[in-house]
Amino acid sequence: EDTYTPTGNGLSSEEEEVTRPTQVVITAQDRSLPYYADRSMNPFTCSDYVNKTILSLVYQGLFTVDAKYNVSPVLCSGYQVSRDMKTYTFYLENATFSDGAVLNGQDVAASLQAAKESPVYGGRFTHISEILVTAGGGVTISLSTPMEELPLLLDVPILKAGQVAMDRPLGTGPYVLDETGGAGVLRKRDNWWCNAKMTVNANAITLKKATDNAQIRDSFEFDGLSLVCADPGSDKYADYRCDYELWDCENNIFLYLACNMESEIFSNPVVRSALSTSVDRDAIVAEHYRGFARSAALPASPLSRCYNDTLASRFGFDGGTALKKALSDGGLVGKEMILLVNSDDSLRVRVAKKIATVFTEAGLVVTVNAQPTDRYTRA
């Protein structure tokens, strides 16, 4: 591993060294990927994992985060943090977009602001109160609360300032999207600023238009697609029947059980506390997610260094003992509750029904209310 040490720009001597992960280089030149040509290729509006594979080759962020939640700098050359950890100043690499334009602070600030207002990245910007361009061309981010690991949230794609709302904006990544003549292709940039080792070094990656998951599967099995992304938990998942190599990808999506604080049952803090030990997460992962999920008792991935196994063990499954006692002590046995769930995701409905049995056994009268997305959101 090469060690990256922040230098210049008045950086603090207290900053930790950050390492760049070693990558295996594949030199084969015949690569093809599926994509939905009629869907957005803007990182701030694209929620489709098929197109996101392409976006990862076209755009870069200030940082990148690996599968174990380690941070490496990309467009950021270094940064400073205030002692109260509420102000970060980031300095930029001498990077260029695919049209040769030099990356500047306005591009970063406009991209982060667009990400803050987007449905894809908006949640992670909750505590970011201000984004400003510094006199030296860097970017300062002010927070409403101290945050020690802000770079973890800043693997957001950076676009040109004037293109953040465009459907096909330019990026600083190693490939550029070319759809001239109606055929899609990713062309490798001859002038890429980074010159880092790449997992794929194909001069051109053919993009094959997709219509649905089944068509993508058939093209992978019979028409030579090099790589496909699939969600085994999706209702639209098409099962693959050929020989293939399989890689798991961390997505950092959490499934939460939220409480209505105004309800008679869950306004009781002892009952809410007992919920953490009443749900058998391991059983849900094994039974419903077929191993494509992780059990987490804390709001972080168990793979992250932020995850405290000792603390998490305090919230392990207890068979519902604590919940039964809390309901009994609070005089809540026999009370009615509604468990609201999005019916457009049948997997979540099945998980909700599994959790409902826990509450039923604890003494509540439970109704699972499955509603489509628009009604679920309003409810």
Side-chain angles (χ1 to χ4, degrees), residues 22 42 109 114 117 127 142-143 147 186 227 349:
T22 302
N42 185 308
E117 298 167 1
H127 298 294
S142 299
L143 302 163
M147 193 175 294
L186 290 177
L227 176 77
V349 174

Side-chain angles (χ1 to χ4, degrees), residues 92-113:
L92 308 181
E93 291 279 7
N94 187 28
T96 59
F97 290 92
S98 55
D99 64 351
V102 177
L103 172 74
N104 58 47
Q106 284 80 10
D107 298 319
V108 175
S111 296
L112 295 181
Q113 186 61 43

Side-chain angles (χ1 to χ4, degrees), residues 76-125:
C76 176
S77 63
Y79 61 91
Q80 289 178 299
V81 187
S82 63
R83 290 189 178 277
D84 63 1
M85 290 185 288
K86 294 176 68 174
T87 303
Y88 281 73
T89 299
F90 298 95
Y91 304 97
L92 308 181
E93 291 279 7
N94 187 28
T96 59
F97 290 92
S98 55
D99 64 351
V102 177
L103 172 74
N104 58 47
Q106 284 80 10
D107 298 319
V108 175
S111 296
L112 295 181
Q113 186 61 43
K116 181 178 181 180
E117 298 167 1
S118 78
V120 179
Y121 293 102
R124 67 175 68 184
F125 284 80

Side-chain angles (χ1 to χ4, degrees), residues 9 13 25 35 51 76 103 145 148 198 241 280 294 330 337 370:
N9 300 313
S13 60
V25 178
Y35 89 123
N51 282 4
C76 176
L103 172 74
T145 189
E148 187 176 2
M198 285 291 297
R241 303 174 293 256
D280 190 348
R294 299 186 190 279
M337 67 159 284

Side-chain angles (χ1 to χ4, degrees), residues 216-222 224-228 240 242 244:
I216 292 175
R217 175 201 59 199
D218 294 343
S219 185
F220 178 75
E221 295 181 351
F222 305 114
L225 273 179
S226 303
L227 176 77
V228 294
Y240 286 76
C242 61
Y244 54 83

Side-chain angles (χ1 to χ4, degrees), residues 185-241:
V185 63
L186 290 177
R187 300 196 184 281
K188 188 178 181 183
R189 289 178 54 187
D190 294 328
N191 62 339
W192 189 36
W193 71 275
C194 193
N195 293 321
K197 290 182 178 180
M198 285 291 297
T199 304
V200 176
N201 275 336
N203 289 323
I205 300 175
T206 302
L207 301 179
K208 298 185 178 183
K209 293 182 180 180
T211 55
D212 54 45
N213 287 353
Q215 180 264 335
I216 292 175
R217 175 201 59 199
D218 294 343
S219 185
F220 178 75
E221 295 181 351
F222 305 114
D223 195 26
L225 273 179
S226 303
L227 176 77
V228 294
C229 290
D231 177 6
S234 169
D235 289 340
K236 298 179 181 179
Y237 175 68
D239 201 19
Y240 286 76
R241 303 174 293 256

Side-chain angles (χ1 to χ4, degrees), residues 46-291:
C46 175
S47 58
D48 185 280
Y49 54 76
V50 174
N51 282 4
K52 278 183 177 292
T53 305
I54 297 169
L55 302 186
S56 68
L57 294 169
V58 176
Y59 305 102
Q60 296 174 296
L62 291 175
F63 299 90
T64 186
V65 181
D66 67 18
K68 293 188 177 180
Y69 300 90
N70 297 311
V71 179
S72 295
V74 182
L75 296 177
C76 176
S77 63
Y79 61 91
Q80 289 178 299
V81 187
S82 63
R83 290 189 178 277
D84 63 1
M85 290 185 288
K86 294 176 68 174
T87 303
Y88 281 73
T89 299
F90 298 95
Y91 304 97
L92 308 181
E93 291 279 7
N94 187 28
T96 59
F97 290 92
S98 55
D99 64 351
V102 177
L103 172 74
N104 58 47
Q106 284 80 10
D107 298 319
V108 175
S111 296
L112 295 181
Q113 186 61 43
K116 181 178 181 180
E117 298 167 1
S118 78
V120 179
Y121 293 102
R124 67 175 68 184
F125 284 80
T126 300
H127 298 294
I128 292 180
S129 55
E130 192 172 41
I131 305 170
L132 297 173
V133 179
T134 67
V139 173
T140 294
I141 294 179
S142 299
L143 302 163
S144 60
T145 189
M147 193 175 294
E148 187 176 2
E149 300 280 359
L150 179 61
L152 270 173
L153 305 181
L154 297 181
D155 59 342
V156 175
I158 301 301
L159 319 180
K160 296 186 74 172
Q163 298 185 356
V164 294
M166 290 178 58
D167 199 50
R168 299 292 197 270
L170 299 181
T172 63
Y175 287 85
V176 58
L177 176 63
D178 182 355
E179 294 178 292
T180 56
V185 63
L186 290 177
R187 300 196 184 281
K188 188 178 181 183
R189 289 178 54 187
D190 294 328
N191 62 339
W192 189 36
W193 71 275
C194 193
N195 293 321
K197 290 182 178 180
M198 285 291 297
T199 304
V200 176
N201 275 336
N203 289 323
I205 300 175
T206 302
L207 301 179
K208 298 185 178 183
K209 293 182 180 180
T211 55
D212 54 45
N213 287 353
Q215 180 264 335
I216 292 175
R217 175 201 59 199
D218 294 343
S219 185
F220 178 75
E221 295 181 351
F222 305 114
D223 195 26
L225 273 179
S226 303
L227 176 77
V228 294
C229 290
D231 177 6
S234 169
D235 289 340
K236 298 179 181 179
Y237 175 68
D239 201 19
Y240 286 76
R241 303 174 293 256
C242 61
D243 291 336
Y244 54 83
E245 293 184 16
L246 177 67
W247 297 283
D248 291 345
C249 178
E250 289 289 305
N251 60 27
N252 208 27
I253 295 174
F254 286 83
L255 183 63
Y256 285 99
L257 183 65
C259 300
N260 184 341
M261 298 288 285
E262 296 181 3
S263 74
E264 180 183 7
I265 300 169
F266 298 111
S267 61
N268 185 316
V270 180
V271 172
R272 294 199 307 274
S273 177
L275 293 181
S276 285
T277 60
S278 66
V279 177
D280 190 348
R281 299 174 180 83
D282 291 331
I284 290 175
V285 168
E287 179 181 347
H288 296 285
Y289 285 91
R290 298 184 293 166

